[in-house]
DNA sequence: GTTATTTGACCGCC
DNA sequence: GGCGGTCAAATAAC
């Protein structure tokens, strides 16, 4: 069942990727004249390469594997838009409980999991300040682990139904390193607040002429490694430590499920919308009709300006490692939720107006 | 008094 | 039955 879903999903993704590449190529043509922005061209080229690389990767997988989904990160398989009609993730969670045919095991319920290693020097302990308000609800001694694991949930769980949780545990090997595992996605208003501040930072970068920062972010590499330089000089590096070449990290992708207009503005949906918005932020003119989001892209983008390293793990499909001690903020997926109501990223073409309005 | 944390108990999965 | 994750009452902090 899930295998079939996975294959269908791959087909859709493949189609989307190829379609996107085509659309991007068309857009690129409009930027070929000398007066056009070089950055825009660079970005479009990067995105085209991403789309085709991912499409090729999917094809490779189809040819080289038995179709098992274990090559697909859980983050992708379990992403909110990976199923059905792109229902909000909170609804997915409800479905998880109701539709046991799809998720029979509780362990499969989380859409994705991230691990964040916070190196010493951040001055942070178990109560990592990642921009969200967390409430500790439990602690357990884990078998084989030297240090207990703390369980945190979003403070707004009760008021806003935010289902995000995280687990914090000291690393056995290095007690100064905190391993933070995020689960679920923030659907609370914090997402918007963080998104706004992050978007402001990006806009200021653009408006102050720091084009290198933006350009860096727009240069994903085919080697599945890319570095971002945003905000206050924080460096974000993502890399795929998994040696399987058919894994795709990071990448832009666009599942075929479009965003339902009626969901726009729904706070529950903001974490999904943010993908589109963020994409729009870096490509204001990009407007694929099938453009939604995919967690791997999200995970790459959600770290903008924060100084995170992403690595892929067998369990979650993606992990983050905060490698920059200067970063006091680590971001789970969803940090950069952009609501269409809150931000008009078309201002990104006019950073000044964007900054003012935001 | 309110909010957050602690901690033992409980539940579901393997 | 063991383990990880969550619940909820008790406790602490503000």
């Amino acid at each position: 069942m899930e295998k079939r879903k996975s294959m269908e999903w791959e087909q859709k993704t493949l189609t989307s990727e190829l379609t996107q590449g085509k659309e991007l190529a068309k857009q690129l043509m409009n930027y070929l004249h000398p007066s056009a922005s070089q950055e825009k061209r660079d970005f479009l080229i990067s995105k085209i390469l991403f789309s085709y690389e991912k499409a090729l990767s999917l094809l490779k997988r189809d040819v080289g594997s038995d179709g098992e989904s274990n090559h697909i990160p859980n983050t992708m398989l379990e992403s909110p838009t990976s199923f059905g009609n792109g229902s909000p993730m909170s609804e997915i969670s409800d479905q998880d409980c109701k539709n046991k045919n799809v998720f029979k095991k509780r362990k499969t319920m989380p859409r994705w999991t991230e691990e964040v290693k916070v190196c010493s020097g951040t001055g942070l302990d178990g109560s990592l300040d990642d921009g969200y308000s967390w409430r500790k609800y439990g602690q357990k001694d884990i078998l084989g682990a030297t240090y207990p694991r703390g369980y945190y949930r979003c403070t707004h769980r009760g008021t806003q139904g935010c289902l995000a949780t995280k687990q914090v545990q000291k690393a056995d090997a290095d007690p100064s390193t905190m391993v933070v595992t995020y689960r679920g996605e923030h659907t609370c208003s914090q997402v918007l607040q963080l998104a706004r501040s992050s978007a402001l930072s990006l806009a200021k970068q653009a408006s102050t002429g720091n084009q290198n920062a933006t350009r860096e972010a727009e240069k994903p590499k085919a080697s599945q490694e890319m570095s971002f330089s945003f905000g206050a000089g924080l460096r974000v590096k993502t890399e795929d430590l998994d040696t399987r070449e058919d894994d795709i990290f990071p990448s832009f992708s666009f599942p075929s499920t479009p965003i339902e207009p009626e969901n726009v503005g729904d706070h529950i949906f903001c974490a999904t919308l943010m993908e589109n918005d963020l994409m729009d932020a870096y490509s204001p003119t990009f407007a694929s009709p099938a453009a939604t989001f995919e967690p791997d892209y999200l995970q790459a983008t959600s770290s903008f300006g924060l100084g995170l390293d992403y690595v892929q793990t067998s369990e979650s499909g993606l992990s983050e490692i905060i490698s920059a001690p200067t970063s006091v903020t680590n971001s789970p997926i969803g940090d950069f939720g952009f609501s269409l109501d809150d931000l008009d990223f078309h201002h990104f073409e006019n950073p000044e107006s964007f900054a003012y309005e935001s």
Side-chain angles (χ1 to χ4, degrees):
Chain A
M1 181 67 180
E2 290 189 35
K3 182 177 173 180
R4 184 178 173 181
K5 272 181 180 290
S6 173
M7 294 182 70
E8 289 175 355
W9 180 87
E10 286 184 14
Q11 270 194 331
K12 289 181 179 178
T13 303
L14 183 61
T15 304
S16 293
E17 292 299 326
L18 293 173
T19 303
Q20 181 194 348
K22 177 184 170 186
E23 292 296 325
L24 289 169
K26 284 182 182 176
Q27 291 182 43
L28 183 60
M29 287 182 65
N30 297 329
Y31 285 90
L32 288 179
H33 53 84
S35 61
S37 165
Q38 175 64 37
E39 288 184 33
K40 177 70 68 178
R41 284 197 293 263
D42 290 344
F43 185 41
L44 286 173
I45 290 170
S46 296
K47 290 176 73 173
I48 291 170
L49 288 175
F50 252 132
S51 291
Y52 282 104
E53 184 189 351
K54 179 159 188 174
L56 287 170
S57 298
L58 287 171
L59 285 171
K60 279 186 199 173
R61 178 160 46 227
D62 285 343
V63 171
S65 75
D66 57 0
E68 284 293 335
S69 60
N70 59 349
H71 283 187
I72 303 175
N74 294 336
T75 57
M76 296 162 74
L77 287 176
E78 300 175 358
S79 69
T81 53
S82 296
F83 296 104
N85 52 5
S87 56
M89 58 291 300
S90 59
E91 292 181 7
I92 293 290
S93 293
D94 292 340
Q95 277 188 328
D96 291 351
C97 300
K98 297 172 184 174
N99 190 355
K100 296 292 180 181
N101 291 329
V102 179
F103 301 105
K104 292 183 178 178
K105 300 173 185 177
R106 192 168 57 178
K107 280 189 175 181
T108 64
M109 288 175 65
R111 285 168 293 280
W112 57 74
T113 303
E114 302 173 34
E115 290 182 7
V116 180
K117 289 183 181 178
V118 182
C119 298
S120 59
T122 60
L124 301 172
D125 201 3
S127 57
L128 296 164
D129 181 11
D130 52 13
Y132 291 110
S133 298
W134 298 99
R135 179 179 215 163
K136 191 173 185 176
Y137 65 87
Q139 180 169 307
K140 287 281 280 190
D141 289 323
I142 303 301
L143 191 70
T146 307
Y147 305 97
R149 177 181 297 165
Y151 297 89
Y152 298 81
R153 67 164 61 103
C154 181
T155 305
H156 302 98
R157 184 189 184 95
T159 57
Q160 301 181 32
C162 183
L163 297 177
T165 64
K166 74 173 180 180
Q167 302 169 358
V168 180
Q169 186 175 15
K170 280 186 181 180
D172 289 342
D174 182 11
S176 63
T177 297
M178 304 299 296
V179 179
V180 183
T181 301
Y182 289 95
R183 289 192 172 184
E185 193 167 355
H186 282 278
T187 57
C188 57
S189 58
Q190 291 178 102
V191 172
L192 297 178
Q193 292 166 4
L194 288 169
R196 186 187 294 272
S197 61
S198 299
L200 266 174
S201 174
L202 291 171
K204 286 175 182 175
Q205 285 282 349
S207 63
T208 54
N210 189 352
Q211 299 175 344
N212 290 334
T214 307
R215 192 169 298 182
E216 273 294 314
E218 296 171 351
K219 284 185 177 175
K221 297 173 185 176
S223 62
Q224 300 174 9
E225 174 179 321
M226 64 180 173
S227 297
F228 298 117
S229 180
F230 276 120
L234 293 176
R235 184 168 160 272
V236 179
K237 180 182 179 181
T238 71
E239 60 181 337
D240 181 3
L241 296 184
D242 194 319
T243 56
R244 291 193 304 264
E245 65 176 5
D246 54 353
D247 280 326
I248 311 141
F249 274 91
S251 67
F252 300 97
S253 62
F254 302 88
S256 58
T257 308
I259 292 177
E260 295 296 329
E262 57 266 29
N263 288 332
V264 174
D266 186 341
H267 74 282
I268 293 177
F269 203 45
C270 65
T272 298
L273 289 174
M274 72 185 182
E275 286 308 305
N276 302 278
D277 295 338
L278 195 59
M279 181 64 82
D280 285 347
Y282 296 107
S283 181
T285 58
F286 176 73
S288 168
T292 56
F293 81 99
E294 195 175 291
D296 53 350
Y297 164 70
L298 184 154
Q299 285 154 356
T301 57
S302 67
S303 61
F304 287 160
L306 295 179
L308 306 178
D309 279 356
Y310 286 90
V311 298
Q312 186 170 356
T313 62
S314 58
E315 177 205 2
S316 64
L318 183 77
S319 297
E320 300 174 0
I321 297 177
I322 295 185
S323 60
T326 54
S327 172
V328 295
T329 304
N330 57 72
S331 170
I333 292 169
D335 276 7
F336 296 83
F338 294 84
S339 168
L340 290 174
D341 293 339
D342 283 59
L343 297 171
D344 179 3
F345 273 102
H346 286 82
H347 285 119
F348 234 78
E349 282 189 312
N350 304 297
E352 292 181 5
S353 60
F354 173 85
Y356 288 135
E357 196 161 307
S358 299

